[in-house]
Amino acid sequence: MVTGGPPPSPPRDIVARSWQRMLRLGLDPGGGNRRVHSAEADVESRRHRSKLRLIVDELRSVLLRTPASAGFILVVTDADGVILWRDGASRAKRQADGLGFVEGAHWSESVVGTNAIGTALAEEAPVQLFSAEHFETSQHPWYCSAVPIHDPSDGQLLGVVDISGPALTLHPTVQSLVTTAVRLAEARLLLGHQERLGGLRDRYSPMLSASREPALIVDDDGWVAYRQGVTTRERIEAPIPERTVLIPGAGLCLPERVTGGWVLRPAGDRQTSVTLRLETDPAVLDVASSADPLVVPLTPRRAQILAAITSAGQAGVSASALSTLLYGDADHVVTVRAEVSRLRRSIGALIATRPYRWAEGVNARIEGAQPRPAPR
């Protein structure tokens, strides 16, 4: 209620769930909760890293050029609930200043209680809150309509778009307006992603087409802009400077930095030889190619994993079987998957998955006695 008194009926389910979270956190509905503000340099860094910087001007254009915009403010946060951009009606901004509803403020539930931004992040769903539905009484004079925005290329949560204003100025179309703006923004992000991949392809594919050797052009996140003589998924692991990547059909490739992405071409022979040397302390994995050799020190656990994968041949070994081998039961599958994932990050995509096995084009052998499973 606008008066701040008790509601005449039970709160909506989404509000009740949030209030329960606030009570468990021990937050004060009277507004005595500690505020968190990021330094200006941190806010600028977050803006620079956020893909929302690409569409914030379009959000302003859609949401701040309507008759209803005379009474509200537009707020865009990152996935942590940090306000990166704020714009809109001057009077509403002055009132928001008093709440600490400013750029750089952390507006997650754990900091300021139930609010549309924080609750939209917690529920990962659109949220509209009115007056006393907010947990802190200082926010009761406000309404807020927030919609999460995702990266359409991979579904990653990017942040929240929110419209807020004095409670008595709430317009019935606000929530649908924010939802429409977010959908348009996501479509623009997808189009921009496709345009950037197209630009990469147009700039660098002529350089590769003169040669018949296998090659890939990918962006910084590993999305494939162009492929030549290889078959891959739409996305590979994001390249890292000086670290080789195994591409089926191309062998071991060394990433070459170009503007906006990477070119990957064979670093040597398409056949890659790896030797698991168990007699050394610590055990190591030697990766041989015509490029600079790669020598990776191994923990005892990783040496056991690679020994099992090598012994299994192309038939491979499942996570469940690895768990039984390493721990004596099949109850440690999650641990095994995490360990193999970390191992793959250190040696590239030499290991294929489902089941775990050496990737196509890798010839592997073991030197030295195989290690016994380490104690649990």
Side-chain angles (χ1 to χ4, degrees), residues 16 34 36 63 135 148 164 189 232 236 280-281 287 297 313 326 351 374:
R34 180 178 63 92
V36 179
L63 293 171
F135 188 74
S164 295
L189 283 172
T232 65
I236 66 169
T280 62
D281 186 18
V287 182
L326 300 177
I351 298 176

Side-chain angles (χ1 to χ4, degrees), residues 20-286:
Q20 287 298 319
R21 290 194 292 269
M22 302 310 96
L23 293 172
R24 289 195 295 270
L25 287 171
L27 266 63
D28 175 15
N33 305 302
R34 180 178 63 92
R35 292 298 193 253
V36 179
H37 288 80
S38 288
E40 184 176 348
D42 180 57
V43 175
E44 283 301 321
S45 176
R46 288 173 181 266
R47 286 172 177 161
H48 179 73
R49 298 194 307 268
S50 174
K51 291 185 178 180
L52 297 180
R53 73 186 188 281
L54 304 172
I55 46 85
V56 68
D57 287 337
E58 293 189 33
L59 288 170
R60 289 189 181 105
S61 178
V62 171
L63 293 171
L64 296 179
R65 294 184 181 177
T66 65
S69 66
F72 64 64
I73 56 176
L74 164 66
V75 167
V76 180
T77 81
D78 63 12
D80 295 325
V82 178
I83 298 177
L84 301 185
W85 294 275
R86 190 191 73 162
D87 204 348
S90 297
R91 183 177 179 183
K93 285 196 289 185
R94 287 194 298 270
Q95 291 174 296
D97 289 345
L99 288 174
F101 197 41
V102 296
E103 290 178 352
H106 290 234
W107 215 252
S108 61
E109 282 191 336
S110 62
V111 176
V112 298
T114 303
N115 71 95
I117 291 170
T119 304
L121 289 171
E123 299 273 345
E124 204 159 329
V127 174
Q128 184 172 67
L129 295 180
F130 182 76
S131 187
E133 290 183 319
H134 294 89
F135 188 74
E136 289 188 348
T137 55
S138 60
Q139 298 175 42
H140 287 186
W142 287 79
Y143 76 84
C144 301
S145 294
V147 178
I149 183 167
H150 296 82
D151 186 337
S153 61
D154 59 11
Q156 180 183 358
L157 178 65
L158 299 177
V160 165
V161 178
D162 171 82
I163 280 180
S164 295
L168 295 179
T169 67
L170 175 62
H171 193 279
T173 63
V174 161
Q175 185 73 1
S176 60
L177 179 64
V178 182
T179 300
T180 300
V182 166
R183 298 296 169 259
L184 290 172
E186 289 175 338
R188 185 66 189 89
L189 283 172
L190 182 59
L191 179 60
H193 172 72
Q194 294 169 342
E195 289 174 344
R196 288 189 294 278
L197 290 181
L200 266 175
R201 180 176 60 250
D202 293 344
R203 286 195 301 275
Y204 298 108
S205 61
M207 173 183 74
L208 301 176
S209 59
S211 168
R212 293 187 177 183
E213 70 173 356
L216 279 181
I217 300 173
V218 302
D219 71 4
D220 287 333
D221 296 320
W223 290 101
V224 176
Y226 175 78
R227 56 174 63 84
Q228 178 173 289
V230 295
T231 301
T232 65
R233 295 174 294 178
E234 294 301 312
R235 188 180 190 183
I236 66 169
E237 183 179 357
I240 297 174
E242 306 303 323
R243 197 187 80 178
T244 52
V245 179
L246 188 75
I247 304 296
L252 207 61
C253 295
L254 190 65
E256 305 169 40
R257 196 71 167 107
V258 295
T259 302
W262 303 85
V263 173
L264 293 99
R265 290 183 281 194
D269 296 334
R270 296 192 187 185
Q271 291 293 321
T272 301
S273 296
V274 299
T275 303
L276 179 59
R277 303 190 187 280
L278 301 175
E279 74 278 7
T280 62
D281 186 18
V284 299
L285 181 71
D286 281 348

